[in-house]
Amino acid sequence: YVYTSNNGVSSSTTLAPLPIPNLKQVWSCPKDSHLTIKMKFTSAALLALLPSAYAFVPAKNAQYNTALHMSGTESGPPYSGPKVKPLLDSVNFPSDMKRFDIKELKQLAHELRWEVLENVSKTGGHLSSSLGVVEMTVALHHVFDMPEDDIIWDVSHQCYPHKMLTGRKDKFSTLRQAGGISGFCKRKESEYDSFGAGHSTTSISAAQGMSIAKSMLNKRKNNCIAVIGDGAITGGMAYEAMNSAGYLKNRMIVILNDNGQVSLPTGTQSAGGTRPASQLSTYTSQLLVSKPFQNVRDVLKNINQLLPSETLQDVNRRIDEYTRGLISGGTLFEELGFYYVGPVDGHDMENLVGILETLRDSDSTKPVLLHVKTEKGHGYPPALAAADKMHGVGKFDLGTGVQFKPSKPPVAPSFTSIFANSLIDEATEDRSIVAITAAMPGGTGLDIFGRRFPKRTFDVGIAEQHAVTMAAGMACEGLKPFCCIYSTFLQRGYDSVVHDIAVQNLPVRIIMDRAGLVGNDGPTHHGCYDLAYLGCIPQLKIMSPSDQIELKNMIATCAKYDEGPTCLRYPRGSGYGPDKLEKLFGYDMDAVPKHGEVLEIGKGRIVRKGGNKLLLGAKQSDEGEISTRGKKKKDRVCILSFGTRLHESLVAANEIEEADPDLAVTVADARFMKPLDVDLVRELAAENSVMVTVEEGSIGGFGDHVLHFLTLDGLMDNGDLKFRPMVLPDQYFEAASQYEQYETAGLNASHIKGTVLRLAQKIKVPVPQES
């Protein structure tokens, strides 16, 4: 081969003749060199050997031609960025960077990467996905004209560089905080956020819709760009959109951001091994950077032109197309009607700008798929070295990448880890138990389960609907599938829950992590609606634990129940320490039990009887105190909690009795929404004049089920029972801490206390006066 460097000096090396099947040997040439391959084939040899041929691939150290710019040494910490950022400081909106040349765009990307790092180190957030698209973001905003042109970021957790270039750079100290900017794209936040997101696989559909609208409205320009990752493109909606766009021939550009990170984290042990949970990812990981591939493509074309027979040329052309598809992935996307370009280096600014300009200026209406290879966490060694690439981080030390520990470490494990370890205990005893996740092994705890039972752990990629129906198929054959999905993401598999599980009454265990309000991720990630959308489906058993002991019990219950589907929801957060479990919850124990106990389906419990500071099961307060409280029914009230609002309910009950000497407050834990413990509800209704239900869900959930039963059973006909459901108000909750969000929602102890006292007529509610 012959390579020519930029200074014009040529060198050559002669290689021993190699048969085509051995071309998988890796060769590399100096960076920024032009590589020319001279080869001779006979047509017969080509036809015989092409199916086994491999193309030239770059050596690992030649993967990217953008240097890692970093102060100090690149080999280790401390890491630091530029002290001044003159180009970034001059950019408030994309129009400010139109005049930049390639050298300046590279410098802008360098400054932007460190601006992201410096800000996220102080606030926490999605880090590595943003670091991986810095050059792409700069190139897109340099080439296209937002907001007239539309750039749609799939999921949009990688949008930090985009936000910094579109007028929000000075607001990053408020990222993912109350009153601050969102960690995702939001149309109401900026006209530069073309489409809001938070869930995956929506960008191509949105871009197609925008393209159709621009065309029908005769808008001057029609540039719609969807940026979707190799994780998000595992979702079926992406293929539905590509199938439609190719058929309708809508002008649009889909950028496949291929960074090899499908699941969170990628590399979790499962039935598919530790590779990314996607055959498409395996398919695209074989791709080459564009220049070596183009060299091979040119060679094949030249040989075709030299072949004497036109028929043979046609045969070789088909072989050429097949080989191109086999090597580059072009066939898959081209069969869907897209013009495939790539793969290209996503950190090569000059190449990206040139390609995007060419696509922008094309008059073609055919949709294009631009395949861009990027590196998640690019430019920051601690991110590259981390198992999850520092995907989602808290505050961290910029020089080392070490995340700061919370000032008050949790006194108990997270509900997620308790679930995972409890499921391991059940699976140890029952070999039919398997677990399924939709690309969230870390978030659901199945990375823990997968380390213990890799062959019984299934990561299906971002494909919730498929995960649910696959679980149904497993149940048909006698396995016990635990389908573990965030509450908010289960919305994407709703039809499968109804059609494939509930209608057939299959014993699938649906596990919903992140139920209720989740904090800084904001409205797209809250698990507010599952009680409403699952509660209306016949044959489901729906339960929610109040603490970690109850969570263990409910996992054991789900494992043993084979008569139909079960649904278990629990929030983001940690359990409680032994002191609180004993003094507030009333458990009489030396330590948290290791194994859970099977609960009776549809049976709740009274946790605190009116007048008792301690709970049933612990020491009772003396009878004298009970006799002084709640002598009359009007002074007896009850709080019926579903889920982890039990803690706030118990705190409120103690405060109410401390504030009023007559009131006796009973607190009950419903445990189940379906089937509802009607005997418990009847008992509470008969003994108390006030009933308040509390839950971490929207209207239409647990409280509505209780009220429905009370009215149908005639328990409110005499007018001696006042009822109030306390639910999440009918609004979206922006990013804030969980406590701040529940304070806004009116579901903390002070709000429960106030509601009870008002209903018991112990405090007056001011009536607004007309001015």
Side-chain angles (χ1 to χ4, degrees):
Y1 64 88
V2 179
Y3 63 83
T4 305
S5 65
N6 288 339
N7 61 12
V9 178
S10 298
S11 302
S12 64
T13 300
T14 300
L15 299 173
L18 292 172
I20 293 179
N22 291 332
L23 291 184
K24 59 185 175 182
Q25 177 178 348
V26 174
W27 291 314
S28 65
C29 63
K31 187 178 67 175
D32 297 326
S33 297
H34 176 71
L35 177 64
T36 302
I37 308 293
K38 294 183 178 180
M39 305 171 66
K40 291 183 179 180
F41 303 98
T42 66
S43 59
L46 176 63
L47 288 170
L49 298 175
L50 252 178
S52 303
Y54 290 79
F56 301 97
V57 298
K60 289 183 178 179
N61 60 3
Q63 185 175 5
Y64 301 111
N65 62 14
T66 301
L68 178 66
H69 301 287
M70 207 169 277
S71 299
T73 64
E74 297 179 7
S75 58
Y79 305 105
S80 62
K83 297 184 182 300
V84 294
K85 305 182 183 77
L87 290 179
L88 183 59
D89 290 342
S90 71
V91 176
N92 293 314
F93 295 97
S95 57
D96 298 327
M97 52 188 285
K98 299 298 183 183
R99 68 185 186 277
F100 290 175
D101 59 22
I102 295 298
K103 183 178 179 181
E104 290 170 322
L105 291 175
K106 290 180 179 180
Q107 180 61 28
L108 175 62
H110 173 53
E111 295 175 11
L112 181 59
R113 175 169 280 110
W114 279 98
E115 187 73 9
V116 170
L117 278 162
E118 290 165 6
N119 277 277
V120 177
S121 71
K122 299 172 185 175
T123 63
H126 290 101
L127 177 65
S128 57
S129 50
S130 291
L131 297 181
V133 298
V134 168
E135 287 81 10
M136 184 193 304
T137 305
V138 170
L140 282 168
H141 280 298
H142 177 74
V143 172
F144 294 97
D145 295 318
M146 289 196 78
E148 185 176 7
D149 294 334
D150 289 306
I151 301 174
I152 303 100
W153 300 91
D154 206 283
V155 184
S156 77
H157 60 306
Q158 75 283 60
C159 70
Y160 298 177
H162 158 77
K163 290 197 173 193
M164 287 183 172
L165 296 176
T166 53
R168 288 164 281 183
K169 182 172 62 217
D170 296 334
K171 299 178 182 178
F172 257 75
S173 61
T174 68
L175 179 68
R176 302 169 78 242
Q177 300 171 41
I181 61 174
S182 172
F184 301 96
C185 287
K186 296 181 73 70
R187 284 176 57 84
K188 69 178 182 180
E189 184 178 289
S190 170
E191 64 178 343
Y192 290 92
D193 289 357
S194 298
F195 198 75
H199 292 193
S200 82
T201 324
T202 62
S203 61
I204 305 177
S205 298
Q208 184 188 7
M210 292 174 182
S211 175
I212 292 171
K214 288 177 186 289
S215 177
M216 293 185 69
L217 296 173
N218 295 316
K219 294 195 174 183
R220 186 174 64 89
K221 292 196 302 181
N222 186 353
N223 291 316
C224 300
I225 303 97
V227 182
I228 184 169
D230 54 339
I233 208 169
T234 62
M237 188 174 172
Y239 297 95
E240 294 172 16
M242 285 191 287
N243 179 55
S244 173
Y247 165 69
L248 294 175
K249 294 182 173 57
N250 301 123
R251 175 183 169 88
M252 59 189 290
I253 300 170
V254 174
I255 298 179
L256 172 55
N257 177 34
D258 188 347
N259 60 27
Q261 294 288 307
V262 174
S263 302
L264 298 175
T266 291
T268 296
Q269 297 182 54
S270 69
T274 57
R275 59 192 177 92
S278 164
Q279 186 58 31
L280 178 65
S281 180
T282 302
Y283 186 53
T284 59
S285 69
Q286 301 170 0
L287 310 184
L288 315 175
V289 294
S290 58
K291 186 173 287 292
F293 169 74
Q294 290 294 328
N295 285 341
V296 174
R297 180 96 169 116
D298 291 341
V299 169
L300 298 178
K301 281 187 175 180
N302 291 335
I303 293 174
N304 273 341
Q305 294 172 1
L306 293 175
L307 295 175
S309 168
E310 183 176 350
T311 303
L312 192 55
Q313 288 182 21
D314 292 339
V315 171
N316 277 277
R317 188 177 299 112
R318 286 196 293 272
I319 292 174
D320 174 66
E321 291 171 354
Y322 171 78
T323 306
R324 179 171 182 253
L326 185 66
I327 296 172
S328 73
T331 295
L332 172 64
F333 301 111
E334 288 173 352
E335 288 296 332
L336 289 171
F338 277 71
Y339 179 74
Y340 175 86
V341 179
V344 299
D345 183 351
H347 304 291
D348 181 347
M349 185 69 71
E350 185 171 5
N351 203 20
L352 278 176
V353 168
I355 291 173
L356 290 173
E357 287 176 338
T358 300
L359 296 177
R360 177 198 63 192
D361 298 336
S362 170
D363 293 329
S364 173
T365 60
K366 185 174 184 178
V368 174
L369 187 132
L370 173 60
H371 187 178
V372 177
K373 296 285 286 182
T374 62
E375 184 177 44
K376 193 169 184 177
H378 186 72
Y380 191 53
L384 297 176
D388 65 348
K389 303 297 180 185
M390 295 182 71
H391 172 81
V393 297
K395 298 176 183 180
F396 63 94
D397 179 77
L398 183 63
T400 62
V402 176
Q403 296 188 50
F404 298 126
K405 295 181 179 179
S407 56
K408 291 184 178 180
V411 295
S414 69
F415 288 117
T416 299
S417 62
I418 291 167
F419 159 73
N421 287 296
S422 298
L423 187 60
I424 288 173
D425 291 340
E426 298 297 330
T428 301
E429 302 297 326
D430 188 342
R431 294 177 61 85
S432 65
I433 289 176
V434 295
I436 303 167
T437 180
M440 297 295 291
T444 59
L446 289 196
D447 56 338
I448 301 172
F449 185 83
R451 287 194 289 271
R452 178 66 177 84
F453 297 110
K455 297 300 183 184
R456 292 155 68 180
T457 305
F458 298 87
D459 185 348
V460 300
I462 304 178
E464 291 84 3
Q465 185 176 11
H466 165 60
V468 172
T469 302
M470 189 176 89
M474 289 176 164
C476 287
E477 294 298 321
L479 290 179
K480 294 183 176 181
F482 281 70
C483 189
C484 311
I485 300 174
Y486 282 13
S487 169
T488 184
F489 297 149
L490 185 63
Q491 295 163 188
R492 298 155 59 89
Y494 184 64
D495 180 65
S496 293
V497 174
V498 179
H499 182 269
D500 301 326
I501 292 179
V503 170
Q504 303 184 90
N505 200 35
L506 292 172
V508 173
R509 289 82 177 163
I510 300 173
I511 310 299
M512 292 168 284
D513 201 324
R514 303 309 199 269
L517 299 175
V518 300
N520 302 108
D521 282 333
T524 59
H525 282 58
H526 296 316
C528 303
Y529 312 114
D530 56 85
L531 294 178
Y533 70 66
L534 293 176
C536 59
I537 303 174
Q539 303 198 118
L540 296 184
K541 307 295 183 289
I542 303 173
M543 63 194 87
S544 184
S546 55
D547 54 64
Q548 65 263 45
I549 296 174
E550 284 290 290
L551 177 56
K552 287 173 175 283
N553 292 341
M554 290 181 182
I555 295 165
T557 303
C558 289
K560 295 297 187 292
Y561 187 77
D562 289 320
E563 304 306 313
T566 50
C567 303
L568 168 61
R569 76 186 306 257
Y570 52 88
R572 180 181 191 175
S574 301
Y576 306 102
D579 187 61
K580 182 167 287 189
L581 287 172
E582 183 175 353
K583 292 183 178 179
L584 182 63
F585 287 78
Y587 287 105
D588 186 11
M589 61 181 190
D590 297 325
V592 175
K594 179 174 174 55
H595 299 288
E597 298 179 358
V598 177
L599 302 176
E600 182 180 353
I601 296 293
K603 287 298 177 183
R605 56 177 182 149
I606 291 179
V607 182
R608 181 193 199 278
K609 198 70 175 175
N612 285 300
K613 294 286 184 67
L614 296 178
L615 308 181
L616 296 176
K619 298 176 181 178
Q620 300 293 309
S621 55
D622 60 72
E623 291 298 322
E625 183 180 2
I626 295 177
S627 64
T628 63
R629 291 182 178 274
K631 288 184 177 181
K632 300 179 180 179
K633 185 175 181 179
K634 71 180 183 64
D635 292 328
R636 296 195 296 271
V637 300
C638 66
I639 303 170
L640 179 57
S641 172
F642 182 65
T644 57
R645 287 294 99 184
L646 180 65
H647 173 273
E648 300 298 309
S649 300
L650 290 168
V651 171
N654 289 340
E655 292 180 354
I656 291 167
E657 292 195 354
E658 289 173 3
D660 190 284
D662 298 323
L663 288 180
V665 186
T666 294
V667 179
D669 177 13
R671 282 178 169 163
F672 293 86
M673 185 177 90
K674 290 188 71 176
L676 184 66
D677 188 344
V678 295
D679 293 332
L680 175 62
V681 174
R682 288 191 181 110
E683 177 185 342
L684 294 173
E687 294 181 356
N688 298 278
S689 65
V690 171
M691 181 185 295
V692 175
T693 61
V694 189
E695 63 192 287
E696 297 160 323
S698 69
I699 187 172
F702 172 70
D704 287 79
H705 281 250
V706 174
L707 180 58
H708 191 76
F709 172 74
L710 287 172
T711 55
L712 289 181
D713 208 48
L715 297 175
M716 301 182 73
D717 291 355
N718 294 331
D720 59 351
L721 178 65
K722 298 177 181 178
F723 178 85
R724 294 292 186 275
M726 296 187 71
V727 301
L728 294 172
D730 191 23
Q731 67 183 70
Y732 292 109
F733 291 85
E734 299 298 338
S737 69
Q738 283 177 288
Y739 178 83
E740 290 172 323
Q741 289 170 341
Y742 280 115
E743 191 71 14
T744 302
L747 290 177
N748 284 334
S750 62
H751 307 103
I752 300 171
K753 174 185 175 182
T755 299
V756 170
L757 290 176
R758 284 194 298 273
L759 290 172
Q761 297 182 332
K762 297 297 183 178
I763 59 174
K764 291 184 178 180
V765 180
V767 178
Q769 300 295 323
E770 293 185 6
S771 56

